[in-house]
Amino acid sequence: MRINKLTIKEAAALLEKGEITSVDLTKACFNRIKDVNGKIKACLTVCENEALREAKEADKRRARGEKGELLGIPYLAKDNIMTKGVKTTAASKILEDYIAPYDATIIKKLKEAGAVLLGKTNLDEFAHGASTENSAFGPTHNPYDLERVPGGSSGGSAAAVAADMCIFAIGTDTGGSIRYPASLCGVTGLKPTYGRASRFGLISMTSSTDVPGPITKTVEDAAIILKAIAGSDKYDATAV
């Protein structure tokens, strides 16, 4: 069984039973990234050492009796979302070497839930685009046909989920930037209602309509992620 192909629900069940570990799952995703990212170009940054540390910690938390749908689940985040200590470029040469000094609120919530960050995904520069062809670091390709676009601007996230490079991914949506690439890549994408999830730590495209949200393999998985990232935030007055 290629465990990187699992859904969140399936992976969580196997982790709970002790049939796999988070380290197993994380390594399987990294092996897949190494196999296909050169062609698809979905990932801009890969955090292998950091992710394996997080996976080991997640396994320890489970060993202590902790439970959780996202505990030990590996994911990728769009590279316009702040991730402390990890490059956040917004697919622009302007921010090519920028290291985020703090986590976006949604990243903090996923971290607390025990999700394992594998790295950051490609996008149209500063999320201005609908094909992920406008990245300063080169275009992302649709995993089903490398001659076609994956949609955008969260094309790297959608392509990564479709190619089983991660169990789920996070994108942002202003005018279709989660829904459009999810559709073109045959996965599930959800733009939550504005204010449902905090925008704090997003590099804004249009602050009055930007929304972070999940890209997943199933609708059920999207619901799991929405539950984890939703809620009020003292750093975002529009979050409810």
Side-chain angles (χ1 to χ4, degrees):
M1 179 179 60
R2 291 171 55 197
I3 56 177
N4 56 295
K5 296 173 72 70
L6 295 171
T7 66
I8 295 171
K9 195 75 173 178
E10 291 167 342
L14 293 178
L15 287 165
E16 179 66 23
K17 293 174 185 176
E19 294 182 15
I20 62 171
T21 66
S22 179
V23 170
D24 294 334
L25 199 53
T26 300
K27 286 181 176 179
C29 289
F30 279 128
N31 287 338
R32 181 62 174 168
I33 289 170
K34 289 170 186 174
D35 286 345
V36 301
N37 193 56
K39 294 179 180 178
I40 297 171
K41 296 181 170 60
C43 296
L44 292 180
T45 297
V46 174
C47 314
E48 189 163 3
N49 292 334
E50 296 89 341
L52 287 171
R53 280 198 299 270
E54 290 180 8
K56 289 174 184 175
E57 180 57 32
D59 287 333
K60 290 178 183 177
R61 288 168 65 176
R62 279 197 184 274
R64 293 194 294 265
E66 188 173 338
K67 299 180 185 295
E69 290 177 301
L70 293 178
L71 184 56
I73 303 293
Y75 77 103
L76 287 160
K78 188 175 179 180
D79 204 25
N80 64 340
I81 303 171
M82 296 288 199
T83 46
K84 186 176 181 179
V86 178
K87 284 208 296 186
T88 302
T89 70
S92 174
K93 292 288 186 181
I94 299 169
L95 297 176
E96 185 173 10
D97 297 313
Y98 177 66
I99 305 293
Y102 62 90
D103 282 324
T105 294
I106 59 168
I107 298 295
K108 184 179 179 182
K109 287 185 173 185
L110 290 171
K111 187 176 287 185
E112 289 169 352
V116 175
L117 179 66
L118 300 171
K120 308 294 286 292
T121 57
N122 203 9
L123 63 147
D124 292 289
E125 187 170 1
F126 288 106
H128 285 258
S131 62
T132 318
E133 293 175 289
N134 303 305
S135 167
F137 306 111
T140 296
H141 303 288
N142 193 305
Y144 291 104
D145 183 346
L146 298 178
E147 297 300 314
R148 297 180 186 273
V149 300
S153 63
S154 304
S157 293
V161 172
D164 297 310
M165 299 162 74
C166 55
I167 307 301
F168 74 93
I170 297 293
T172 62
D173 193 315
T174 302
S177 285
I178 286 174
R179 294 161 290 166
Y180 182 45
S183 177
L184 266 62
C185 291
V187 292
T188 297
L190 174 67
K191 180 186 182 183
T193 302
Y194 184 80
R196 194 74 187 93
S198 173
R199 293 178 296 107
F200 180 73
L202 270 58
I203 297 175
S204 65
M205 195 272 205
T206 306
S207 293
S208 58
T209 48
D210 290 344
V211 176
I215 296 178
T216 58
K217 299 172 186 179
T218 65
V219 173
E220 184 176 35
D221 281 3
I224 291 170
I225 300 304
L226 180 60
K227 184 169 65 175
I229 65 173
S232 61
D233 180 17
K234 65 181 181 180
Y235 298 115
D236 179 2
T238 66
V240 295

